[in-house]
Amino acid sequence: MSFIKNLMNIFGSQDDAEKINRISKVFAALKKHNRKALIPFITAGDPNPQITVQLMHQMVQSGADIIELGVPFSDPMADGPTIQRSSERALKHHVSLKGVLDMVSEFRKTDTATPVVLMGYANPVEAMGFAVFAAKAKDCGVDGVLIVDYPPEESAEWVQCLEQQEIDAIFLLSPTTPQERIAQVAKMARGYVYYVSLKGVTGASHLDLQDVGAMLTQLRQHISLPIGVGFGIRDGATAKAVAGLADAVVVGSRIIEEIEKSAETELLSNVGSLIGTLRKAIDEN
Amino acid sequence: MNAYDLPNKEGHFGPYGGIFVSETLISALEDLRKQYEFYRDDPEFKAEFAYELKHYVGRPSPIYHAKRWSEHLGGAQILLKREDLNHTGAHKINNTIGQALLARRMGKKRVIAETGAGQHGVASATVAARYGMECVVYMGSEDVKRQATNVYRMKLLGATVVPVESGSKTLKDALNEAMRDWVTNVENTFYIIGTVAGPHPYPMMVRDFQAVIGNEAKVQMLEDFNRQPDALIACVGGGSNAIGLYYPYIDDANVRLIGVEAAGKGIDTNQHAATLSTGKPGVLHGNRTYLIQDENGQIIETHSISAGLDYPGVGPEHAWLKDCGRAEYVAITDDEALEAFHTLCRFEGIMPALESSHALAYAAKYAPTLPKDKLLLVNLSGRGDKDMATVAQMSGLTL
């Protein structure tokens, strides 16, 4: 009896996952047309909480496939100055994790297709509690979560809570990740993996495409999920080159810079045209 | 009862500690752990560390019986472990020597450090000069303004001091910035963390280097007093001087371990740094521990008259010692610490650091409740010369 029940659960959950997993759907559709994903990152609430959902829609219209939405944190240890400043701007408006989830809910009212991945640091989810967070995130329409300071070693309970809600646990890989860890990350990762193409913090320069290519070949021996590459992608040319190697191109600091230097009235159109440029470059590869 | 053997191999002290960092730092920490675990048992490394502590730092630091003060208080005898007599004036140098010796063996020619009051920065700049290494110290720009003398000391020692403008511009932000430097320059750079916090293996490694305090005390107590103390009292910011004293005593159940946090303007105000007394567990700076945070998990700015205790986290081992009941943690206000500072000056001719004055202030409250044959060993973790401007200012004077 329990065997049959388990079996039904397994089939049931697979069925559900197919219905709602926007991330795998997007990658499957892109693959069919031999295209690569563009994944822009913005910090929720930067420069103000009112504009975030509009920015998300604008980025989708201009060619984004998946949106990474940063949850602002007081101590963004892995980020360079650009994303630190965006976090500080959002925190001036007291943007909380709950506030970010509300923004995703709002976005979902008119966009039920584009995957949204939350990206941030551990302590806001620690404060909310894993199970409470995962349930709320599911309700709001979050598809994946990447917590920068939860490496696989510390993530067993976290991943379990996300899996119960069928939310993908996204993990990072870096140029310094040794072979045996790649296999370990591959076991826990869902959705896609995010290869950080540079040592250092976000917003750094110098991307060595040869190194990235060599590393991706290694990664693919262990990982069947799509691989996104981020860090150091600053213009159409690098986006295009990276799209030739990876399944997805992640752009963060460059977009935040655009937000930073735009007057409020031109912010949506400026970010839109930047995304458009990147889209075009990626599709040319 | 089993002998205390934490952390486990994942770096956990019960639910605390661990390695909560971005993937980009994992392999550097793994390398550091392996190297440390090799060298801590290496006879040549141990001998060099012991030699440096003796000839460069001036160890062992004595235990001094504060007789006049004890008599005035009218209760237990107060004994002071004189870390203030170390070269550079505090316990910090024990750890920076250990880490610098490790850095040399790992072939790192550049060391970086974070600092709040400047004590750990000075201790790092000192060992960098001693071993001929490049040294960069990150310091919140607010602290750079408040601690001008220590900034100049670091510069005299050849270090570069980088003011940090992000966040609250204090110690926690300096730590963030040092981590960012490390992740960018990990190939040639060793990050000397100044307290028993950060990702594994730092809390364990810093504790082991600081354990020289407790190891000496155990021998000295027997020699001078024929027995061990009834309680150990130490101030706790990150908690390295306290752990250094406690660690060799953890299995001695009849020695009470008392940690004293900074209650600032009072723990019922929002201006304090009493993490264990008022905080909640969370994750910051690479480990799970108690944190002073708001209901959304954002880290809150702390306050203490003593910059060395002005930190919103605490070492994960203290979090565990609190939860399992082995150690107890209390809090002392700015005013109480200041009063203890003046009292020790007047009764014993010793000017304590404002950090250590918190431990002294608690001893002054606790001693009178005990009989005269009880022994309280207080860690006098640093000397107070660096605090003269602050104390003068609090007394309405300018120097």
Side-chain angles (χ1 to χ4, degrees):
Chain A
M1 191 61 203
S2 73
F3 170 74
I4 293 173
K5 210 170 147 194
N6 282 341
L7 209 65
M8 284 174 66
N9 278 344
I10 291 166
F11 282 124
S13 70
Q14 267 189 355
D15 200 31
D16 282 349
E18 269 170 26
K19 248 185 268 168
I20 58 144
N21 195 324
R22 300 183 190 96
I23 294 177
S24 52
K25 244 185 192 172
V26 161
F27 278 108
L30 285 166
K31 199 171 179 185
K32 226 194 233 168
H33 298 100
N34 207 13
R35 292 176 72 211
K36 301 301 173 71
L38 170 58
I39 310 182
F41 168 95
I42 57 169
T43 301
D46 173 34
N48 64 63
Q50 293 74 36
I51 208 162
T52 300
V53 174
Q54 295 175 57
L55 257 173
M56 292 166 76
H57 288 307
Q58 177 67 61
M59 293 195 297
V60 174
Q61 276 165 32
S62 305
D65 297 298
I66 296 174
I67 293 190
E68 281 186 3
L69 193 58
V71 179
F73 182 51
S74 52
D75 293 79
M77 222 169 68
D79 285 298
T82 307
I83 294 180
Q84 286 173 47
R85 285 196 300 272
S86 79
S87 212
E88 283 175 21
R89 284 192 293 271
L91 287 176
K92 280 207 181 112
H93 296 283
H94 306 286
V95 173
S96 63
L97 179 55
K98 173 151 188 325
V100 177
L101 290 171
D102 290 341
M103 291 176 196
V104 179
S105 271
E106 182 67 28
F107 175 76
R108 280 276 169 261
K109 284 183 184 165
T110 50
D111 187 332
T112 54
T114 309
V116 175
V117 171
L118 297 190
M119 187 166 176
Y121 291 82
N123 206 49
V125 298
E126 297 258 322
M128 187 177 277
F130 292 171
V132 174
F133 166 77
K136 279 191 187 174
K138 162 92 167 179
D139 283 350
C140 296
V142 170
D143 303 284
V145 186
L146 194 174
I147 298 296
V148 177
D149 46 356
Y150 280 156
E153 287 83 349
E154 303 283 359
S155 294
E157 195 192 332
W158 165 244
V159 167
Q160 210 183 2
C161 283
L162 291 184
E163 268 183 2
Q164 276 168 9
Q165 302 292 346
E166 291 157 338
I167 295 173
D168 288 336
I170 317 277
F171 283 99
L172 293 168
L173 289 168
S174 86
T176 54
T177 305
Q179 284 282 344
E180 60 275 18
R181 264 182 76 77
I182 298 173
Q184 191 192 352
V185 173
K187 269 188 221 150
M188 291 184 105
R190 300 286 181 273
Y192 59 96
V193 297
Y194 183 169
Y195 177 66
V196 170
S197 54
L198 289 169
K199 286 169 207 161
V201 293
T202 53
S205 48
H206 315 304
L207 182 72
D208 188 327
L209 288 164
Q210 260 188 344
D211 285 0
V212 173
M215 190 67 180
L216 287 184
T217 309
Q218 273 191 38
L219 296 182
R220 287 214 167 90
Q221 289 170 8
H222 302 277
I223 292 171
S224 50
L225 290 173
I227 301 175
V229 171
F231 279 36
I233 297 165
R234 309 198 47 80
D235 51 29
T238 39
K240 180 181 166 182
V242 168
L245 303 165
D247 304 297
V249 179
V250 188
V251 186
S253 298
R254 177 66 190 88
I255 297 170
I256 308 281
E257 279 168 19
E258 199 64 30
I259 291 173
E260 216 164 31
K261 70 185 182 199
S262 296
E264 204 168 326
T265 47
E266 290 166 356
L267 204 153
L268 291 171
S269 61
N270 286 357
V271 171
S273 71
L274 173 62
I275 300 287
T277 308
L278 295 168
R279 172 84 265 164
K280 199 164 158 252
I282 289 169
D283 289 344
E284 275 168 10
N285 95 86
Chain B
M1 198 179 119
N2 290 335
Y4 184 82
D5 62 353
L6 296 179
N8 69 8
K9 68 181 187 346
E10 287 86 33
H12 292 143
F13 302 89
Y16 302 109
I19 305 181
F20 291 89
V21 297
S22 167
E23 181 64 28
T24 42
L25 271 177
I26 292 281
S27 71
L29 287 165
E30 179 63 9
D31 186 37
L32 177 63
R33 182 188 62 76
K34 280 187 190 149
Q35 299 274 354
Y36 173 63
E37 286 178 352
F38 173 80
Y39 284 113
R40 74 178 167 190
D41 300 321
D42 173 43
E44 191 262 339
F45 180 88
K46 284 160 69 177
E48 189 178 359
F49 184 48
Y51 181 92
E52 295 290 287
L53 289 180
K54 182 176 176 192
H55 295 275
Y56 189 63
V57 179
R59 304 201 69 94
S61 68
I63 287 179
Y64 168 74
H65 184 179
K67 279 189 191 152
R68 215 164 84 80
W69 191 36
S70 304
E71 209 164 287
H72 169 74
L73 291 167
Q77 302 307 302
I78 296 180
L79 315 175
L80 305 175
K81 178 66 173 160
R82 298 290 308 273
E83 292 300 298
D84 61 317
L85 297 177
N86 292 342
H87 178 43
T88 72
H91 71 291
K92 293 287 186 189
I93 190 97
N94 303 328
N95 167 50
T96 57
I97 286 185
Q99 292 198 46
L101 293 180
L102 189 57
R104 285 174 82 195
R105 281 164 176 75
M106 291 172 71
K108 312 279 182 180
K109 305 230 179 315
R110 178 176 181 267
V111 296
I112 57 171
E114 84 293 339
T115 199
Q119 291 308 100
H120 174 60
V122 167
S124 299
T126 299
V127 298
R130 163 81 183 81
Y131 302 119
M133 297 187 279
E134 183 193 348
C135 179
V136 176
V137 179
Y138 290 94
M139 190 170 186
S141 61
E142 283 299 315
D143 291 332
V144 169
K145 274 185 246 161
R146 288 190 289 200
Q147 307 287 337
T149 319
N150 268 344
V151 173
Y152 187 53
R153 275 172 89 188
M154 288 184 265
K155 287 181 180 166
L156 287 174
L157 292 161
T160 306
V161 179
V162 180
V164 176
E165 301 287 351
S166 58
S168 58
K169 307 178 196 325
T170 59
L171 175 58
K172 75 176 180 71
D173 310 285
L175 216 151
N176 293 335
E177 206 55 41
M179 281 280 182
R180 291 179 190 124
D181 179 316
W182 196 36
V183 74
T184 310
N185 301 299
V186 68
E187 262 138 43
N188 72 340
T189 299
F190 189 103
Y191 180 15
I192 303 183
I193 293 187
T195 190
V196 284
H200 183 61
Y202 280 102
M204 170 179 79
M205 178 171 70
V206 176
R207 172 199 71 191
D208 294 351
F209 290 140
Q210 291 292 2
V212 64
I213 303 171
N215 285 328
E216 281 176 8
K218 269 197 146 172
V219 175
Q220 292 165 323
M221 286 301 301
L222 278 185
E223 279 172 6
D224 299 348
F225 300 92
N226 263 321
R227 70 179 187 92
Q228 295 303 333
D230 298 288
L232 307 175
I233 302 176
C235 63
V236 176
S240 70
N241 89 81
I243 283 286
L245 179 61
Y246 297 172
Y247 182 54
Y249 284 97
I250 288 179
D251 285 330
D252 300 358
N254 47 1
V255 179
R256 284 179 69 181
L257 310 178
I258 303 170
V260 186
E261 297 191 298
K265 296 184 175 162
I267 55 170
D268 47 357
T269 71
N270 57 5
Q271 292 191 61
H272 63 76
T275 309
L276 288 164
S277 310
T278 68
K280 274 194 327 182
V283 168
L284 179 71
H285 293 152
N287 65 101
R288 184 175 277 129
T289 187
Y290 280 77
L291 299 171
I292 297 182
Q293 53 182 313
D294 70 14
E295 69 280 9
N296 297 315
Q298 305 294 347
I299 307 307
I300 297 177
E301 267 180 65
T302 51
H303 164 82
S304 168
I305 188 177
S306 114
L309 303 183
D310 201 352
Y311 178 63
V314 65
E317 193 161 14
H318 286 292
W320 171 245
L321 291 174
K322 174 194 160 82
D323 279 14
C324 74
R326 178 63 189 94
E328 49 208 295
Y329 295 87
V330 297
I332 282 292
T333 64
D334 287 352
D335 290 344
E336 291 168 323
L338 203 57
E339 189 188 332
F341 174 96
H342 288 297
T343 308
L344 201 72
C345 285
R346 294 301 181 91
F347 276 91
E348 300 291 347
I350 295 173
M351 188 183 293
L354 283 173
E355 289 78 9
S356 324
S357 298
H358 287 72
L360 295 165
Y362 185 74
K365 275 187 178 175
Y366 184 41
T369 69
L370 298 171
K372 289 187 175 177
D373 62 346
K374 294 284 181 187
L375 302 177
L376 302 181
L377 179 60
V378 180
N379 200 2
L380 186 53
S381 54
R383 68 177 182 227
D385 308 51
K386 69 180 175 65
D387 295 315
M388 278 194 288
T390 308
V391 173
Q393 196 191 3
M394 296 292 287
S395 320
L397 305 169
T398 25
L399 296 179

